[in-house]
Amino acid sequence: MKKPLIIIVIAIVIIGAGVAVYLVTQSEDTNTNAPTNSAIQTNTSAATNTSADTNTESADRYIGDDFTILQPADWTQSQISGTLVSFHNTSEVNPEGSAAKKINFQSYMAVSFDMVNERSLAEINDLTIDQIKASIPSAEVIASSDETINGRPAKFSVLTLSQQEVDYTVFIAVTSKGDKYYAISGNTTTDKWTDYEDLFYQTARSFVFKNF
């Protein structure tokens, strides 16, 4: 049975370090060909190089069953269990001796979905944020905005939190169409947030619903 999206998003945020290690392992073992199950899709494109100074200008477009989204240029596609697709920056280097370096953390983005179940977008967004705060006491919303993605309303949020002695900044965009809603999430260290802020926003805004 597929886990609710909110649980998946919280798990991605909470176990960021473990997710990063898992992503690297999947990338090395599968050469960007992700495993499949009822909650996972495969990709039609893969990154070829890695760079810390990435943007969406030369990115490939990931094509899923119900949506497409730009893959951040030079990031590697991997798979976080329960998500539709995820990307991480395998070239990222954290300072020697830092907590992020010790756990081999690498910044990543992921897309997940769940059913609306008669909830409004505002209710879905508020529930997601509230559950993250309840699960991670250090979590704090530092920015939020109403946006439009592919002509559909969206909610963007940015949170800061601390896990495993690492300060993270987490980006979450929520949008819906029909009976489904999607979360586009990004996680990086707070020290690198200014490097990735535009990338996270641009990638979320590149999300396009296919006809369904």
Side-chain angles (χ1 to χ4, degrees), residues 15-147:
I15 60 172
V19 166
V21 172
Y22 178 75
L23 287 173
V24 172
T25 301
Q26 286 298 312
S27 177
E28 292 173 348
D29 291 347
T30 65
N31 193 27
T32 72
N33 290 321
T36 58
N37 60 35
S38 60
I40 296 174
Q41 299 172 345
T42 56
N43 171 14
T44 60
S45 63
T48 57
N49 295 307
T50 54
S51 170
D53 298 323
T54 55
N55 55 55
T56 58
E57 292 180 0
S58 59
D60 293 326
R61 181 166 283 275
Y62 170 86
I63 302 175
D65 286 348
D66 296 333
F67 70 95
T68 70
I69 192 170
L70 285 177
Q71 174 171 326
D74 304 327
W75 285 37
T76 299
Q77 183 202 337
S78 296
Q79 201 74 52
I80 299 172
S81 179
T83 68
L84 298 175
V85 65
S86 55
F87 312 106
H88 70 290
N89 185 3
T90 57
S91 71
E92 185 170 87
V93 177
N94 289 293
E96 289 295 333
S98 67
K101 178 72 171 180
K102 291 177 182 177
I103 62 174
N104 298 315
F105 176 80
Q106 293 176 334
S107 300
Y108 59 89
M109 298 195 74
V111 180
S112 307
F113 90 100
D114 204 347
M115 308 308 292
V116 170
N117 292 330
E118 299 183 352
R119 291 170 295 192
S120 69
L121 188 63
E123 289 172 333
I124 291 167
N125 182 71
D126 290 346
L127 181 59
T128 301
I129 299 302
D130 289 346
Q131 289 296 319
I132 291 174
K133 287 182 175 180
S135 300
I136 310 174
S138 63
E140 179 182 356
V141 176
I142 61 171
S144 60
S145 59
D146 293 324
E147 302 266 346

Side-chain angles (χ1 to χ4, degrees), residues 159-161 166-170 188-194:
L159 302 89
T160 57
L161 56 94
V166 181
D167 293 329
Y168 296 102
T169 298
V170 177
T188 189
T189 60
T190 297
D191 287 344
K192 294 184 182 295
W193 169 244
T194 55

